[in-house]
Every structure is written in structure tokens, then in C-alpha cells.
Amino acid sequence: MAAEDLPSEFDVVILGTGLAESVVAAACARVGQRVLHLDRRSYYAGNWASFTFNSLLSWIDEYNHAGLEPEEVHDWSSLLQEGEEMIKLSNTDSAPISNLQVYCYTSEEDEEEEDAKHLNANQAEGEEPEASEPGPSAARSQSEPTRKKISYAQLVKEGRRFNIDLVSKLMYSRGSLVDLLIKSNVSRYAEFKNVTRILTYRHGNVEQVPCSRADVFASRQLSVVEKRKLMRFLTSCLEETQEHQAFTGRPYLEFLRNQQLGNNLEHFLLYSIAMATENTPTEVGLASTRHFLRCLGRYGNTPFLFPLYGLGEIPQCFCRMCAVFGGIYCLRHSVHCVVVAKDTNRCKAVIDSRGQRISCSHFVVEDGYVGAEHKHVTTSARSISRAVLITDGSILPSESDQQVSMVTIPGEMGGPAVRMVELCPSTMTCMPGTYLVHLTCQSADSAYQDLSPVVTRMFRTPESHDQEGCPSVLWCFYFNMPDGSGLEVEGHDLPSNVYVCSGPDSGLGHQHSVKLAESIFQKILPEEEFCPPAPNPEDIIYDGETCTSSFGEEEREGERGGEGEREGEGEGEREEEGEEEREEIQEEQILQTEE
């Protein structure tokens, strides 16, 4: 929408299109609030975004040139009224991506083009290839099957087939995000795929972790005794016992060893099912194990789902719901400052980057727009180390080339555990013949320092040694991003009706963002339901300019009740004719709405 067309008054103005902000926008619009949703970027989702390969290269180029252009300084103080003051927002991201490094390990051009150039160069020098000596392409054809290596030029050419997420997460099938998607009917805007395998890295090998009952009994890496022990332990975990309470505050690993499960099962349960560390308390480890088990079997043999086309689709789905219910969207558009009433310390309006004053009752803002002097952060701000790889094969080849895998790599020498998600082409995130691999861990150093040892150990790169059986890395990049869990929900030096949304956290699920969005919504509208189900299109009628669902459940029940009373009283044909006339009027008013 063009900036000059923006109305001057809204109930809620939201700056930033990350997951939490988008959920708040959808929830507010759903209950009839007038919502203006802005983002200074040219794309949706902020640090939750997904990029095609070409768009990612442009994003990296913008990052490398960020800060080179001087910031424009505007004085909008003339728009203030008596008794008002101004809080300026940051023009640049106060919580930026950092330590970005890019590496390309594949050839710039196709092998066939290189062979042709080499042949042309030889012919130009007057050399003729001997008839008895086969050319490079012939030599390769004799050594089939040899996989043709994908070049950088092919990656760029097929760049639109990639959807590369800045953040790597999975959706628990009984988690808060899936429940919200189903409850609000936002799930109809997206498609999902099961994560098919849970893997772990142990003693230099990648192994599949048996999760479900079928996996346990089909596993060849567990003995019969181990299978029985594992099933008995998983069954006992579902209910809290006195034995569990006795280990409260003690390490989960100590509890597992007390169960005499053996090293194999201890490793699987600690790192791949509870996804814990050696120091995780028992009560936390057991809660994680129960959550894992509860999510099994709802949509497949693993607890996880992944959205097709990447995680960046989820914020956009909630933005779509907001737009359906009247929300207004404007990208490449920001808020310069917040107008505050001195007597009440409440936000009265915002002034956008083009000098328009927009009145609002509530203002929701992404934390990157708020200067550090106004934010309340925990004593030590945390960050996340991320790596994204494009590889030419799976880390655990199988009969199917459509596996989506979740891998846990335990930390070494006290280092952080690394979480790996490997996506196949059927997730619509990479081109055929490649896999997209995401690595994530809590930062101890730069992303490259934290994650490159794992990459060289599990994949073939120029720095690797004796990794002939491993897939090759074609292209990769490393970066650090802020951990959103380090931002406090309360205590910011801001007006009481200004709410700050944090970015992605380091957890595997989405509970942090969904809980934050619900908390903000309840502060804005404590009497309203959070993201109620959207009505069916035939239940929506338009009365003038206002969209309502007046023919909802209550009126339909009233009509049914009225019909029952009329039948019981034996009313005649006149009421039936009047009812038919009313139904005809109602049918003329109903407008079918489409997605």
C-alpha cells in the first residue's frame, strides 16, 4: 500500500514482521482491531525469513555494504502537540547479524564448459588429442556411475528452487505452534512434511535413533535386552514417580545411569530424545522426554513437522490472516519515533519515516528497532551460531532420497551441542541432487569457530581429511544472530502500551515466540480470545463497510430453536412463507470469500 494512502488512526500499529509480531497482528485483526503492520525491510519475517539462493546472495551483499551510506536525519518535532514528547527508534538494527562468512567449494562453471575451454585452448596451441587417448568426458563415462558435481553456476541458475531459512527450527506435532495453526485455521495457508528420521553422531558414525515402538523393534543396532529396557523406560517416563522426584536437581545423566540402561541407550535418550546435555537437571530432562513421546505418532514416526518452502512461510501465513480481516501492510516503511503523553506515559501516536503522524492505542515493535538504552536485557546477552550448507548428498544415505533428518551432535571438550537439520528437495528448499543442511548451537565464539570443526568432521571440504565416504559441501555460510530468549518481557524503559517482541531463540521449537505473542495480546485485549477459529466463508456477511459474522453460531441456534417452537405450536403457512422470504434476503446478503 502506498504511504500517502495510509489512514491516520489505528487501534494497533506493529513494526516488524517476525513470528511473534505476525501472530499478534493476526490475533488483533481477528477480533476486529484496526491493525497497521509495517516493516522497513523489503521482505517479510525479519530474522525468521527464507530466501531463494539469489535473494540470499543479495542479502549478503547488503550486509557487507551496510553502514556505508549516511543515515538521513529528520526533525519531526513540529508534529508534537502540547504535553507530548518523542522517543526515537533506531534507524539501524540494534541486534544485527554478525560474523558472516561465505565459502564456495564447488567450481564456478560446469565441468562440460571447463572441458570445452580446455579443449579449445589445446587446439589453439596446435595440439591434437591422440586417438588412443580418450578425452576427459570419455574417461568419466567409463568410470560410471560417477556423479556429476554441481557447479556454482548451476546453483545460481536454479536459485529459485532454494528456500534458505535464517533460523532453523522444527514444529513439535503437539507443540504450541501446531495447536495455534489448527485452532486459528491458519494451517490452511501452508503445507507440511514429516521429519522422517532422528539421527545421532557417535564414535565418528551417524546412527538412526529408534523412537517409536516400530522403530525400536526394527532396530538392528540394539540387542533384544536393550530393546526391552528402552521400552520399559519410555513407558515409565510418562508418569511422574517418587523415584523421579528423588533425582530433582540432580543431572539427568546421573538418573539415566541409575536406570542401568547401558551406554547406547543413555546416549540416545540424553542427546536425541531429551535433547539435553550432561548438566541438564533430571526434572527438565524428563519433561523434555515426555514432550517428545507425546508428540510421537500424531503425524508420523517422529515428533516433528517442517513447513514446505521453509520456516519463513509461517509468519507470512499469520500476516495473510491479518490481511483477510482488514489489516494493512506496508513494506519498506518504518516508524521514526513514538509520541508519548507526558502525563500518562502512554503512546498516543507514531511518526513514520515519511513524516506522517498515525494515532494508535497500542504499539508493538521488534526489538531490533529499540535502542539498547530502552531495552531490559539479561545480564549476559546470548547469541546463536548458525551455518547453512548446500551439499551433494545425505549424511546417512538410504533407499529413499526424500529423507528429512534431525541430527544431534554432542559437544566435545565442554563445547556446545550442535543441532543439525538436513532437508531434501521434496521440502521445496533445495534443487534436485542437493541437500540443505542447517547447523545451530549456542555461541561460544564466532559461528565459524563453533561450527566449522563439525562441518569438516562430517562432510568433505578442502579442510577435511579421510572423508571420502561423506557428502561434499558445495557452498556454505556462517553467521551469528542474537538469541531472543535473552530479552526480558517486562521492565523496558518504554511507555506502558508499547510492547517489545524478541527475535528467534535457540530452542528447537516455537514455544517462546507463541507464548510471547499470546502474552502481548492478553495485555492489549484481556477480554478477548486469542486467535479464535476463523468463520466459514458462508457465515460472513458485509453490512456496509463493516465485516461481521452476525449469522454465527448463536443466531443459527436461535433460528433452529425458533423453528422448533413454531413446529411445536403448529403455526401455519404464513410463517413458513415469511421464513422463506427471510432466507432469500439472507442468501442475497451472504458473500462468498476466498483465500
Side-chain angles (χ1 to χ4, degrees), residues 416-481:
V418 176
R419 183 175 70 242
M420 178 189 298
V421 177
E422 183 184 70
L423 304 173
C424 64
S426 64
T427 60
M428 306 301 177
T429 59
C430 55
M431 63 178 281
T434 65
Y435 284 79
L436 189 65
V437 180
H438 292 273
L439 292 93
T440 308
C441 72
Q442 282 282 358
S443 297
D445 207 322
S446 70
Y448 181 81
Q449 295 293 332
D450 288 338
L451 296 173
S452 61
V454 175
V455 174
T456 55
R457 193 164 67 242
M458 299 186 66
F459 298 92
R460 192 159 67 244
T461 69
E463 294 82 17
S464 302
H465 302 286
D466 301 326
Q467 302 289 70
E468 289 302 320
C470 298
S472 297
V473 177
L474 306 175
W475 184 91
C476 66
F477 82 116
Y478 301 84
F479 63 96
N480 291 91
M481 65 192 310

Side-chain angles (χ1 to χ4, degrees), residues 325 535-552 555-556 559 583 585-593:
F325 286 95
N536 293 323
E538 58 268 20
D539 294 335
I540 301 177
I541 64 170
Y542 292 86
D543 182 13
E545 295 181 354
T546 305
C547 173
T548 64
S549 56
S550 59
F551 291 97
E555 293 199 5
R556 286 200 298 275
E559 290 172 5
E583 288 179 356
I585 293 172
Q586 292 173 12
E587 288 174 358
E588 290 175 358
Q589 290 177 331
I590 293 174
L591 299 176
Q592 298 293 332
T593 60

Side-chain angles (χ1 to χ4, degrees), residues 88-260:
K88 291 187 177 180
L89 299 182
S90 176
N91 289 332
T92 57
D93 197 339
S94 63
I97 301 293
S98 59
N99 302 322
L100 196 153
Q101 295 175 262
V102 181
Y103 298 90
C104 181
Y105 297 127
T106 188
S107 59
E108 291 288 331
E109 298 178 343
D110 292 346
E111 293 178 352
E112 294 179 358
E113 293 179 3
E114 291 181 352
D115 293 344
K117 287 183 178 180
H118 180 70
L119 183 61
N120 292 336
N122 289 340
Q123 290 177 347
E125 294 174 4
E127 298 180 6
E128 294 290 338
E130 297 182 10
S132 59
E133 295 182 4
S137 58
R140 276 195 297 271
S141 63
Q142 292 175 3
S143 60
E144 293 292 345
T146 299
R147 183 166 46 193
K148 180 181 175 183
K149 192 168 185 180
I150 296 172
S151 68
Y152 180 76
Q154 286 178 280
L155 296 179
V156 173
K157 182 179 179 181
E158 300 287 339
R160 292 181 63 84
R161 291 178 177 264
F162 289 90
N163 285 286
I164 301 172
D165 297 317
L166 291 183
V167 63
S168 176
K169 288 180 177 289
L170 296 174
M171 301 165 60
Y172 282 94
S173 63
R174 296 189 189 275
S176 54
L177 180 58
V178 170
D179 291 344
L180 181 61
L181 288 167
I182 294 172
K183 173 189 174 184
S184 62
N185 288 340
V186 173
S187 56
R188 62 186 171 182
Y189 296 135
E191 297 179 86
F192 305 89
K193 185 175 177 63
N194 290 322
V195 174
T196 56
R197 302 186 298 185
I198 305 294
L199 309 178
T200 189
Y201 185 77
R202 186 165 179 247
H203 302 318
N205 297 313
V206 178
E207 302 175 2
Q208 183 163 351
V209 177
C211 301
S212 65
R213 181 184 296 271
D215 288 342
V216 169
F217 288 107
S219 174
R220 296 182 178 180
Q221 60 209 49
L222 298 179
S223 66
V224 175
V225 174
E226 287 178 321
K227 291 177 181 179
R228 290 175 179 169
K229 285 183 177 180
L230 179 58
M231 290 306 304
R232 190 181 303 119
F233 177 82
L234 294 178
T235 302
S236 69
C237 277
L238 297 176
E239 299 292 337
E240 187 170 353
T241 64
Q242 292 183 350
E243 183 184 14
H244 297 164
Q245 296 175 354
F247 279 85
T248 299
R250 296 160 67 179
Y252 189 43
L253 180 59
E254 183 180 336
F255 171 75
L256 294 176
R257 287 174 176 166
N258 184 67
Q259 304 299 308
Q260 300 180 351

Side-chain angles (χ1 to χ4, degrees), residues 322-344:
C322 176
V324 166
F325 286 95
I328 295 177
Y329 281 82
C330 195
L331 298 180
R332 304 181 190 87
H333 198 87
S334 187
V335 170
H336 182 270
C337 55
V338 179
V339 178
V340 182
K342 294 181 181 179
D343 55 345
T344 61

